[in-house]
Amino acid sequence: MTLRQRLAVFIAVTTLVALVIQGGLGYFSLQHQVYASLDRDLNIYVQRLTGLLRKKGLSTDPRFYQDINAGYEGYITRVRLVHEGQVIWQYGQFPDDIPMPNLTQYARNYGQWRVGTWTIHPSEGEEVDFFIQGAILSRELNSSLSNYQQTMLLTTLLVTLLGVIFALLLSRPALKPLQHLLDTTRKIASSGDLSLKVPQEGGGELGELSATFNHMLDRLAGFRKRETEFTRNASHELRTPLTAMKLHLGNWKAGYATPEETLEIICEEVDRMARLSESLLTLAREGRTQKTEFDLAELVQEITGARDLPYSGPEHCQVCGDPLLLRQALLNLLTNAQHHAPAASVGVSLHTTTEHNQTFGVLRVADTGPGMGEEALSRATETFYRAPGTRAPGSGLGLSVVAQVAELHGGKVVLSQNTPHGLVVELWVQSQG
């Protein structure tokens, strides 16, 4: 059963239950009012006769009551006076299914008759009790109640049927976004194409579901892209140090290199592989950081102090981020400056600025080396990019990692020329998470 059909069934059942409850309560209320009115008239009728009987006096002789007028205008009535199980006097013929009275009984139905029994207690000087039983024909009232019940049932079925029809008609456009979502998931499952999108139609929860699903597809596509790039980059970049180690081990076995030389080269290549693996893993991240409140200025002063580099900026600068990633980004910037401008001076500074109503901590690393050309500046953060003519060792991942760290912290990397020469790299980090 489809969701549309389930919705129609749910609306039908809900409508049916509501109408049955409402109709049932209405029917019982009407029935109570009708019988209350009928019982009131029956009581008035019997009390009038009781008053006549008391005025005339009670007797066990039937002839004593022949001149009593027991009719009741507007009703077909029956009445009888009973003493010790014997009918003393009777007006009209009682149906056989109405039992003889032997005690006071509230009004109730017997077939088409509403019947009640009252006790006439003896007056002073009399010694016996009499029962007077009255009946009013309620056939028309019962017929009206039956017609009301049938009308209620037919109305309930008709409204329920209309509810099902309207539910089927209205649920189609309402559930159209959900159908688009189902169609898209089927296509993705069969083709694996994460570039497919769900048409965002309608509003409310279904529209939000479509937008959320498309966002999830974008993230999955990003995961797949990073996985592919990581596999490709790792297989490409790790092959170089492995080849170098294999070559030097071959030279050692052939007697062309000493064990000390070979061990030194292998240690360098292992360190290079470790740095390369760490950089690749950082690039493979997608917002998965352990952010916490910490003092960025304290971290920068610790690193610059260990490298004996000048620092200018505040003593404290609270930011929300991952201190391990920001440490790695700063180390990458300092390593790049050391490799590409070994004889140049390097300065590190920190300040805060506001952009688009958001406060950023700006970490600035400036050197007085040769700097970069305009094309190199525009492409420096690309993965594995190395400026033409670069002879310094490296993998081309340093600034890519810095840019990735900045993005994970809601910031950016800005590269510019230093004056009179050199390179300035600014790492922007949001001051609040």
Side-chain angles (χ1 to χ4, degrees):
M1 183 180 292
T2 64
L3 179 60
R4 186 182 174 199
Q5 293 172 339
R6 291 179 183 177
L7 182 61
V9 171
F10 172 76
I11 293 177
V13 172
T14 304
T15 304
L16 181 62
V17 171
L19 290 176
V20 167
I21 293 176
Q22 182 181 9
L25 293 176
Y27 173 78
F28 288 120
S29 176
L30 177 62
Q31 184 186 56
H32 174 74
Q33 294 177 6
V34 167
Y35 285 141
S37 176
L38 193 62
D39 293 343
R40 184 171 57 253
D41 291 342
L42 178 61
N43 183 67
I44 293 173
Y45 171 61
V46 173
Q47 293 302 325
R48 180 176 68 81
L49 291 178
T50 301
L52 292 176
L53 293 175
R54 285 187 177 279
K55 184 176 181 181
K56 190 175 183 63
L58 297 175
S59 173
T60 58
D61 186 359
R63 293 173 298 177
F64 188 71
Y65 306 101
Q66 290 180 357
D67 59 341
I68 294 179
N69 180 17
Y72 192 29
E73 185 178 357
Y75 290 102
I76 298 177
T77 59
R78 299 287 187 270
V79 66
R80 58 188 174 187
L81 187 66
V82 179
H83 174 65
E84 294 183 352
Q86 299 294 323
V87 177
I88 304 302
W89 167 73
Q90 177 173 288
Y91 174 77
Q93 183 65 37
F94 272 77
D96 296 335
D97 58 344
I98 300 178
M100 294 288 292
N102 54 9
L103 49 83
T104 299
Q105 187 179 56
Y106 293 107
R108 56 173 297 184
N109 287 332
Y110 288 96
Q112 299 295 328
W113 295 86
R114 188 70 173 174
V115 181
T117 302
W118 288 261
T119 302
I120 303 178
H121 295 289
S123 302
E124 186 177 350
E126 298 176 345
E127 298 181 353
V128 295
D129 286 341
F130 288 82
F131 293 101
I132 184 170
Q133 188 176 54
I136 292 180
L137 186 64
S138 59
R139 179 172 54 213
E140 294 183 358
L141 294 177
N142 289 336
S143 177
S144 298
L145 289 174
S146 178
N147 291 335
Y148 176 85
Q149 189 177 37
Q150 293 176 4
T151 302
M152 180 195 69
L153 292 176
L154 291 176
T155 303
T156 299
L157 293 177
L158 179 61
V159 173
T160 302
L161 180 60
L162 291 176
V164 172
I165 295 175
F166 278 111
L168 290 174
L169 293 177
L170 297 178
S171 62
R172 183 178 183 85
L175 296 177
K176 194 174 181 180
L178 198 59
Q179 185 62 46
H180 287 323
L181 179 62
L182 181 60
D183 295 339
T184 303
T185 53
R186 286 174 177 170
K187 292 178 182 178
I188 293 175
S190 60
S191 66
D193 184 6
L194 295 178
S195 64
L196 296 174
K197 293 293 181 290
V198 179
Q200 295 187 24
E201 298 180 358
E205 289 80 0
L206 290 179
E208 184 178 354
L209 176 62
S210 300
T212 304
F213 186 80
N214 288 335
H215 178 64
M216 182 190 68
L217 289 178
D218 292 336
R219 294 194 62 183
L220 288 175
F223 283 135
R224 176 180 289 181
K225 180 181 178 181
R226 278 182 293 276
E227 180 185 9
T228 303
E229 290 180 351
F230 177 82
T231 304
R232 184 182 67 247
N233 296 337
S235 61
H236 176 268
E237 293 299 320
L238 293 178
R239 187 181 298 117
T240 301
L242 289 175
T243 303
M245 286 190 289
K246 184 177 180 180
L247 176 62
H248 285 89
L249 286 173
N251 291 338
W252 170 70
K253 290 178 66 176
Y256 299 129
T258 65
E260 291 77 11
E261 293 174 339
T262 304
L263 182 60
E264 181 181 358
I265 293 174
I266 289 178
C267 288
E268 291 178 357
E269 295 298 334
V270 169
D271 290 340
R272 180 185 175 190
M273 290 178 62
R275 292 192 301 270
L276 185 61
S277 299
E278 188 175 355
S279 298
L280 289 173
L281 289 174
T282 301
L283 291 174
R285 290 185 180 223
E286 198 274 336
R288 301 188 302 274
T289 60
Q290 298 295 328
K291 292 185 177 181
T292 183
E293 292 284 345
F294 75 100
D295 192 338
L296 178 60
E298 183 178 334
L299 174 65
V300 175
Q301 293 176 76
E302 175 190 342
I303 296 175
T304 55
R307 295 200 172 207
D308 196 21
L309 295 174
Y311 166 76
S312 62
E315 290 293 326
H316 302 283
C317 180
Q318 291 294 124
V319 298
C320 181
D322 189 329
L324 294 178
L325 288 181
L326 290 172
R327 174 187 291 272
Q328 181 183 351
L330 178 55
L331 290 175
N332 280 9
L333 293 178
L334 296 178
T335 301
N336 278 354
Q338 180 183 358
H339 286 171
H340 295 281
S345 62
V346 179
V348 180
S349 63
L350 178 65
H351 66 277
T352 59
T353 187
T354 301
E355 185 177 275
H356 304 302
N357 297 323
Q358 175 64 52
T359 302
F360 292 88
V362 180
L363 178 60
R364 186 175 187 269
V365 177
D367 64 64
T368 57
M372 291 185 181
E374 293 299 327
E375 181 182 358
L377 283 176
S378 63
R379 300 185 56 190
T381 57
E382 295 180 8
T383 305
F384 299 114
Y385 176 77
R386 289 173 61 84
T390 301
R391 297 182 179 180
S395 60
L397 291 175
L399 290 177
S400 299
V401 171
V402 174
Q404 178 73 14
V405 172
E407 182 180 351
L408 292 174
H409 289 81
K412 60 184 177 179
V413 171
V414 179
L415 286 82
S416 60
Q417 300 285 2
N418 199 2
T419 303
H421 55 81
L423 179 67
V424 177
V425 181
E426 292 183 347
L427 170 59
W428 291 46
V429 181
Q430 282 189 1
S431 293
Q432 297 178 354

